[in-house]
Amino acid sequence: MLKIENISKTYGDKKIKAVDNIHFEVKPGEIFGFVGPNGAGKTTTIKMIVTLLRPDSGRILINGVDNSQDIMGAKQQFSYVPDNPELFEKIKGIEYLNFMADVYQVPEADRTVRAEKYLKIFELDKAVGDPISSYSHGMKQKIALIGALIHDPNLFVLDEPMVGLDPKASFELKKIMREQCDRGKSVFFSTHVLDVAEKLCDRIAIIKKGQIIAIGTMDEIREKVGSRESLENIFLELTEK
Ligand SMILES: Nc1ncnc2c1ncn2[C@@H]1O[C@H](COP(=O)(O)OP(=O)(O)OP(=O)(O)O)[C@@H](O)[C@H]1O
């Protein structure tokens, strides 16, 4: 579903690579967690996946589509929710959802079913007629998530999705992530909440200073480092070396 092939990225004339020759794959039906210390290269990688940044080298395939050769084709395959979504504040929630559905040419019946389902799950059904400027931070995040789900993407890319969500919304989002994957879709997300990553993800990659230092299922990572510890302990051990 997502193939990252030896990508690197250096910003401006900085000598240090923000992302340094990483390669990995996210398979269909997989929830893949991307963890690493501050400044490790998570957001840079995500921005390259969602075509907001171009890698200096390497390539990214999304459901077989090279995202630098066919940007529009690649964009049809995924949805992206950044850690701090910037939305059109003046429009209403429902207008935003219709806008997103129009962009992805989602048929009327499908958009209605999906919008109703997710608005109910995230308890936004009463506020959807209000302008986004009146929403709290968490409500804005929820409407961005619903907007991202409206075209039923094959790949759901999320940067720090749990931040700002209340416990119920966070629980519902995790359920949605699993549901998507049960239908053969994939989820790729970054997080600092290692407990969530350990419980939720099928596979995890740990990135440090732009390089992947561990990857696999929790069992594979534990085997590689020769430890029975939690992801948190393994993470601290690997990243503080
Ligand atoms: N626009 C930019 N210009 C210059 N350097 C940048 C830019 N964005 C990121 N960097 C640098 O690239 C490196 C990776 O940053 P990135 O934002 O990808 O890390 P991250 O893993 O997402 O961190 P965090 O957990 O703090 O969000 C850091 O050294 C950072 O200073």
Side-chain angles (χ1 to χ4, degrees):
M1 179 65 74
L2 171 65
K3 268 191 183 168
I4 307 277
E5 296 183 347
N6 304 94
I7 57 167
S8 293
K9 179 77 193 173
T10 304
Y11 287 103
D13 52 12
K14 275 194 179 178
K15 291 207 173 62
I16 299 165
K17 285 183 177 175
V19 170
D20 188 1
N21 194 32
I22 61 169
H23 50 273
F24 59 87
E25 197 175 332
V26 179
K27 295 171 195 150
E30 202 166 57
I31 301 183
F32 194 101
F34 201 40
V35 303
N38 291 133
K42 299 179 297 296
T43 299
T44 303
T45 304
I46 286 177
K47 284 187 175 169
M48 288 191 278
I49 295 170
V50 302
T51 72
L52 290 176
L53 277 178
R54 253 176 189 266
D56 300 330
S57 54
R59 64 173 194 163
I60 297 171
L61 301 175
I62 306 175
N63 212 11
V65 182
D66 184 327
N67 79 350
S68 63
Q69 300 290 316
D70 179 5
I71 295 181
M72 290 315 287
K75 283 192 174 187
Q76 289 290 338
Q77 302 297 327
F78 69 82
S79 273
Y80 164 56
V81 182
D83 50 354
N84 211 347
E86 280 178 25
L87 301 162
F88 309 109
E89 295 271 330
K90 286 193 177 141
I91 64 173
K92 297 171 182 165
I94 189 66
E95 290 168 338
Y96 174 69
L97 296 184
N98 276 320
F99 167 75
M100 292 301 283
D102 287 344
V103 167
Y104 289 99
Q105 299 176 321
V106 181
E108 202 66 40
D110 292 341
R111 71 173 71 180
T112 305
V113 170
R114 288 179 199 144
E116 280 178 2
K117 173 181 168 182
Y118 294 120
L119 284 167
K120 195 154 183 280
I121 289 175
F122 285 124
E123 298 173 340
L124 265 195
D125 36 354
K126 295 211 171 56
V128 73
D130 298 337
I132 291 175
S133 56
S134 70
Y135 288 11
S136 70
H137 174 71
M139 288 163 80
K140 284 179 187 162
Q141 209 164 337
K142 288 177 184 177
I143 202 81
L145 286 164
I146 301 170
L149 288 161
I150 208 96
H151 79 105
D152 198 23
N154 286 321
L155 174 68
F156 201 23
V157 181
L158 306 166
D159 200 351
E160 283 287 344
M162 314 304 170
V163 175
L165 292 183
D166 64 30
K168 162 100 180 0
S170 182
F171 172 77
E172 294 295 350
L173 175 60
K174 287 182 263 180
K175 248 170 65 181
I176 292 167
M177 287 159 94
R178 182 49 68 196
E179 262 174 35
Q180 293 288 101
C181 290
D182 287 346
R183 294 170 50 234
K185 316 262 180 188
S186 305
V187 176
F188 179 84
F189 76 106
S190 73
T191 185
H192 288 298
V193 190
L194 299 180
D195 194 39
V196 168
E198 178 167 355
K199 288 197 185 108
L200 185 66
C201 297
D202 300 302
R203 287 195 306 138
I204 293 163
I206 304 178
I207 183 170
K208 178 187 171 188
K209 293 184 183 163
Q211 296 184 338
I212 305 281
I213 54 166
I215 186 165
T217 62
M218 268 314 294
D219 282 346
E220 286 165 352
I221 292 176
R222 284 197 184 101
E223 196 176 326
K224 192 176 166 240
V225 298
S227 153
R228 299 306 308 159
E229 297 282 353
S230 66
L231 178 62
E232 185 177 44
N233 286 347
I234 292 173
F235 178 94
L236 292 174
E237 192 190 318
L238 290 178
T239 55
E240 281 172 10
K241 267 184 191 166

